[in-house]
C-alpha cells in the first residue's frame, strides 16, 4: 500500500477532455491544489486508450494514479473508455472519475454500472470548480490508499 | 334520410379532423419541451467557459488594467452568471413537462413538511412563522407537489415587509368534491393588474436590486398544477398580503 505520490514522487493524473478551455481550467486548478500533480491530457477516447496501453507516441507514458474522464468525446466516448478500462485487469484498479457537465440520471446510472469510481459534474462557477478539484486532490490523491500496482504493472 | 346521413358523415369528418389537430398539438408541444431541454443543456457548456474565464480574469487582473476594465469585466461576470441562472431555471421549467409523472396517493402534509425542510435556511433567516392545518392525501406526483409548496411558501417569505413573515397553508373541500389548497401570507401583496402576468415565464414585478431571482417560480407552479389537471390563482391587495389557491384535478378522493 502507498499513499499516492509519497516521498516527493510526482502524482500522475490523466485528464481525458476534448475542450481546451476545460483542460486549461483543470490545469490552473491543480496548480493551486497540488504542485506535485503531473497532468497528462488525452483529447479523445482513442488517445486515452493509447496512453494507458503505452501505444504509439505514448510508449513512455506513465501509469496514471487517477483518471479524470469526460463523457462526451470525439472518436470514442467516455463510456466506451470506461468500459475498456474496467475490463482490463491491469487498468481496472486505477480510480476513474467521471467529470462531466451532464446531470442526466441516465448518464449517472450508466457511469456507475460501468464501475466508475465516482461521478462528478463540472460546476458553472470558477470557485466551485476549484474547490471540486481540491476535493479530488484531498481525497483521491491524498487520503485514499491504493495498491502498489504502479511498480508491478 | 340522405340529409341525416350527410350530417353524420360530416360530424365524423369533423371529429377525425379535431383528433388530428389534438395529435399535432401534442406532438409540437412535446418537441418544444424537448427543444428547451436540449438547448439549455447544450448552452450551459460554452456559457460555463465564459463564466469561469471572466471570473478568472477578474480575479487575476482586477486593479491592473484600469478602472474601465474592472467595470467591463464585472458586467461580463454578472451577465454570464445571470444567464446561467436563467438557463437553469428554464431547464427546471421544461423538466416539469418532460419527466413522466405518476399520480399516486400522496400526503400533502408530508410534501409540505419536506418543502419546509428544503426552505429551512430562508425560514430561519427571515424568522418566518409558517403554520398549517391538517392537510389531505391527494393523488399527485410527490416531487412536484413538494416543489409547488416550496415555491409558494418560498415566495411568501421572500416578498415581505419588514417584520415577521406569517404564512398559513390550509385546504378546504370545494362543494364537497375537490380539495382547494391555500397559501396565505402577510407580505407585500400584488396589484390586481398583475394577477395573470406573474404566472408567466421570467415575469418579474421587482428590480433585481430589490429581489433576486429570474421570475420562473410561479410559472413552474402553474405548470405543475396544470399537469395535474388543475388550476392556480391569486387573490391579493398591495400591502394586505396574498393568498395563492390551487386545486389538483382528481383530488376529489378520500381525505
Amino acid at each position: 500500500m502507498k499513499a499516492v505520490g509519497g516521498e516527493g514522487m510526482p502524482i500522475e493524473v490523466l485528464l481525458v477532455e476534448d475542450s481546451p478551455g476545460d483542460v486549461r481550467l483543470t490545469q490552473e486548478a491543480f496548480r493551486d491544489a497540488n504542485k506535485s500533480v503531473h497532468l497528462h491530457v488525452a483529447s479523445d477516447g482513442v488517445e486515452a486508450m493509447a496512453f494507458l496501453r503505452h501505444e504509439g507516441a505514448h510508449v513512455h507514458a506513465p501509469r496514471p494514479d487517477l483518471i479524470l474522464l469526460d463523457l462526451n468525446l470525439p472518436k470514442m466516448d467516455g463510456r466506451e473508455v470506461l468500459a475498456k478500462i474496467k475490463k482490463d485487469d491491469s487498468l481496472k484498479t486505477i480510480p476513474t472519475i467521471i467529470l462531466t457537465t451532464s446531470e442526466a440520471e441516465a448518464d449517472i446510472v450508466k457511469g456507475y454500472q460501468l464501475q466508475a469510481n465516482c461521478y462528478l459534474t463540472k460546476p458553472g462557477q470558477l470557485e466551485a470548480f476549484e474547490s471540486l478539484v481540491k476535493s479530488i486532490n484531498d481525497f483521491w490523491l491524498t487520503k485514499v490508499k491504493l495498491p502498489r500496482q504502479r511498480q508491478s504493472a | 334520410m340522405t340529409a341525416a346521413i350527410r350530417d353524420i358523415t360530416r360530424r365524423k369528418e369533423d371529429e377525425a379532423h379535431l383528433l388530428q389537430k389534438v395529435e399535432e398539438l401534442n406532438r409540437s408541444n412535446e418537441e418544444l419541451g424537448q427543444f428547451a431541454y436540449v438547448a439549455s443543456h447544450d448552452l450551459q457548456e460554452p456559457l460555463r467557459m465564459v463564466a469561469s474565464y471572466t471570473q478568472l480574469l477578474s480575479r487575476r487582473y482586477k486593479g491592473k488594467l484600469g478602472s474601465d476594465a474592472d467595470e467591463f469585466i464585472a458586467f461580463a461576470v454578472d451577465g454570464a452568471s445571470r444567464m446561467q441562472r436563467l438557463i437553469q431555471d428554464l431547464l427546471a421549467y421544461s423538466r416539469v413537462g418532460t419527466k413522466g409523472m405518476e399520480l399516486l396517493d400522496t400526503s400533502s402534509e408530508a410534501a409540505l413538511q419536506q418543502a419546509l425542510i428544503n426552505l429551512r435556511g430562508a425560514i430561519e433567516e427571515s424568522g418566518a412563522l409558517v403554520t398549517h392545518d391538517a392537510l389531505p392525501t391527494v393523488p399527485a406526483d410527490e416531487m412536484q407537489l413538494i416543489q409547488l409548496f416550496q415555491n409558494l411558501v418560498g415566495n411568501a417569505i421572500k416578498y415581505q415587509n419588514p417584520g415577521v413573515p406569517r404564512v398559513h397553508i390550509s385546504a378546504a373541500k370545494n362543494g364537497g368534491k375537490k380539495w382547494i389548497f391555500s397559501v396565505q401570507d402577510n407580505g407585500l401583496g400584488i396589484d390586481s393588474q398583475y394577477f395573470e402576468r406573474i404566472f408567466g415565464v421570467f415575469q418579474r414585478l421587482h428590480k433585481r436590486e430589490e429581489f433576486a431571482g429570474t421570475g420562473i417560480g410561479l410559472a413552474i407552479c402553474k405548470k405543475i398544477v396544470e399537469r395535474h389537471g388543475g388550476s392556480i390563482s391569486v387573490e391579493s391587495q398591495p400591502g394586505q398580503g396574498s393568498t395563492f389557491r390551487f386545486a389538483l384535478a382528481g383530488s376529489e378522493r378520500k381525505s
Side-chain angles (χ1 to χ4, degrees), chain B residues 62-252:
Chain B
K62 194 169 198 161
K64 292 181 184 163
L65 302 173
S67 61
D68 269 358
D70 286 354
E71 200 182 345
F72 298 167
I73 292 171
F75 281 128
V77 166
D78 179 57
S81 297
R82 245 180 319 124
M83 187 151 168
Q84 283 179 318
R85 273 195 300 277
L86 284 168
I87 288 179
Q88 266 157 21
D89 286 351
L90 202 58
L91 202 58
Y93 180 77
S94 80
R95 217 177 270 138
V96 175
T98 52
K99 280 223 169 133
M101 49 178 241
E102 225 182 327
L103 299 188
L104 301 172
D105 278 351
T106 305
S107 158
S108 58
E109 192 155 324
L112 175 67
Q113 293 298 354
Q114 186 55 50
L116 296 183
I117 290 171
N118 298 347
L119 288 167
R120 203 167 31 198
I123 292 173
E124 279 171 15
E125 203 177 303
S126 64
L129 287 175
V130 183
T131 53
H132 65 86
D133 296 346
L135 297 175
T137 293
V138 291
D141 178 298
E142 191 184 14
M143 293 309 293
Q144 294 193 351
L145 192 56
I146 293 170
Q147 193 176 11
L148 182 57
F149 278 127
Q150 192 172 325
N151 288 7
L152 290 176
V153 175
N155 276 354
I157 295 169
K158 179 175 169 186
Y159 297 101
Q160 274 291 341
N161 306 298
V164 179
R166 287 172 195 274
V167 188
H168 186 74
I169 301 98
S170 56
K173 276 209 169 178
N174 173 25
K177 284 192 97 186
K178 275 188 187 176
W179 282 103
I180 311 272
F181 290 86
S182 303
V183 178
Q184 187 174 10
D185 68 53
N186 64 339
L188 294 175
I190 301 159
D191 198 297
S192 62
Q193 61 172 312
Y194 300 123
F195 283 2
E196 291 280 323
R197 189 174 151 180
I198 51 171
F199 292 102
V201 174
F202 296 147
Q203 293 298 324
R204 293 169 45 78
L205 300 181
H206 304 273
K207 286 190 214 139
R208 280 206 305 280
E209 301 85 68
E210 297 172 319
F211 292 100
T214 60
I216 200 78
L218 288 175
I220 288 178
C221 290
K222 181 163 188 260
K223 199 166 173 186
I224 289 174
V225 170
E226 284 176 356
R227 290 262 293 168
H228 283 80
S231 61
I232 186 168
S233 62
V234 65
E235 202 175 283
S236 176
Q237 270 181 13
Q240 306 286 310
S242 309
T243 303
F244 284 83
R245 288 197 180 82
F246 65 89
L248 307 176
S251 56
E252 58 269 25

Side-chain angles (χ1 to χ4, degrees), chain A residues 62-118:
Chain A
R63 175 188 167 85
D65 297 295
L66 181 74
I67 301 169
L68 298 174
L69 183 63
D70 191 13
L71 280 184
N72 298 317
L73 298 164
K75 292 187 194 169
M76 183 195 294
D77 78 9
R79 300 160 194 86
E80 276 179 84
V81 174
L82 182 58
K84 282 189 198 297
I85 291 171
K86 294 302 178 186
K87 263 188 219 140
D88 184 315
D89 275 340
S90 70
L91 297 178
K92 68 180 176 195
T93 51
I94 304 173
T96 303
I97 298 177
I98 293 176
L99 184 59
T100 175
T101 38
S102 170
E103 292 185 13
E105 182 69 14
D107 281 334
I108 298 171
V109 171
K110 183 82 183 162
Y112 285 106
Q113 279 171 346
L114 291 171
Q115 312 272 298
N117 293 79
C118 71

Side-chain angles (χ1 to χ4, degrees), chain A residues 24-38:
Chain A
R24 183 66 198 265
L25 217 51
T26 312
Q27 284 168 337
E28 295 286 336
F30 267 114
R31 195 169 302 155
D32 287 345
N34 186 343
K35 296 237 174 348
S36 335
V37 168
H38 277 189

Side-chain angles (χ1 to χ4, degrees), chain A residues 1-4 63-65 90 92-95 144-152:
Chain A
M1 305 247 280
K2 66 173 179 73
V4 185
R63 175 188 167 85
D65 297 295
S90 70
K92 68 180 176 195
T93 51
I94 304 173
V144 163
K145 298 284 182 209
L146 295 171
R148 262 182 222 276
Q149 213 162 359
R150 185 134 60 128
Q151 288 88 330
S152 63

Side-chain angles (χ1 to χ4, degrees), chain A residues 21 28 101 125-126 130, chain B residues 45 48 53 55 59-60 84:
Chain A
E28 295 286 336
T101 38
Q125 306 291 312
L126 179 67
E130 288 170 333
Chain B
E45 187 58 47
R48 197 169 54 81
Y53 279 100
Q55 285 164 12
R59 189 196 298 160
R60 285 215 186 143
Q84 283 179 318

